[in-house]
Amino acid sequence: MKKMYVAIEEPRNGLGDTYEQFFKTPEDAAREARSLWDHLTSSEKVKTHVYSAVITEDDLTAEAFDEINISDTDPSCADGICWGLYHSTDTYPGSFDSDSVD
């Protein structure tokens, strides 16, 4: 089964923009999520949740496989799948989650 890893930065209150970056390896996604977190100010950290996750084919909407949605220039599209059209994610060993940072 194909997988994609993602680093996500989102507002805790659900109001505002969510930023996603997609990676082929779990290490790259976790490293990017940690970097995003480390670059936030203390006041931004209170309002923001940053984490890395894995997306499998089972986590995708049907539209993710529709060639109309798959772009050669969209970084969330790879291997004939638009990975940005997911409905759920999961953690993985070594994933980063700002809620678990001291």
Side-chain angles (χ1 to χ4, degrees), residues 62-82:
E63 292 81 14
F65 302 96
D66 187 339
E67 65 185 59
I68 293 171
N69 296 317
I70 299 170
S71 165
D72 292 336
T73 58
D74 184 342
S76 72
C77 297
D79 302 324
I81 299 171
C82 191

Side-chain angles (χ1 to χ4, degrees), residues 46-58:
V46 171
K47 302 174 196 170
T48 308
H49 183 213
V50 179
Y51 59 99
S52 62
V54 63
I55 302 168
T56 65
E57 292 178 67
D58 292 339

Side-chain angles (χ1 to χ4, degrees), residues 6-62:
V6 61
I8 301 172
E9 178 182 336
E10 61 189 10
R12 288 193 184 277
N13 65 7
L15 302 174
D17 294 328
T18 296
Y19 299 99
E20 305 162 318
Q21 294 180 38
F22 296 86
F23 299 91
K24 297 262 184 189
T25 68
E27 298 84 9
D28 288 343
R31 188 175 16 259
E32 180 61 22
R34 180 66 198 211
S35 177
L36 290 168
W37 181 250
D38 288 343
H39 285 88
L40 294 175
T41 64
S42 296
S43 62
E44 290 171 326
K45 287 179 178 180
V46 171
K47 302 174 196 170
T48 308
H49 183 213
V50 179
Y51 59 99
S52 62
V54 63
I55 302 168
T56 65
E57 292 178 67
D58 292 339
D59 298 319
L60 298 169
T61 65

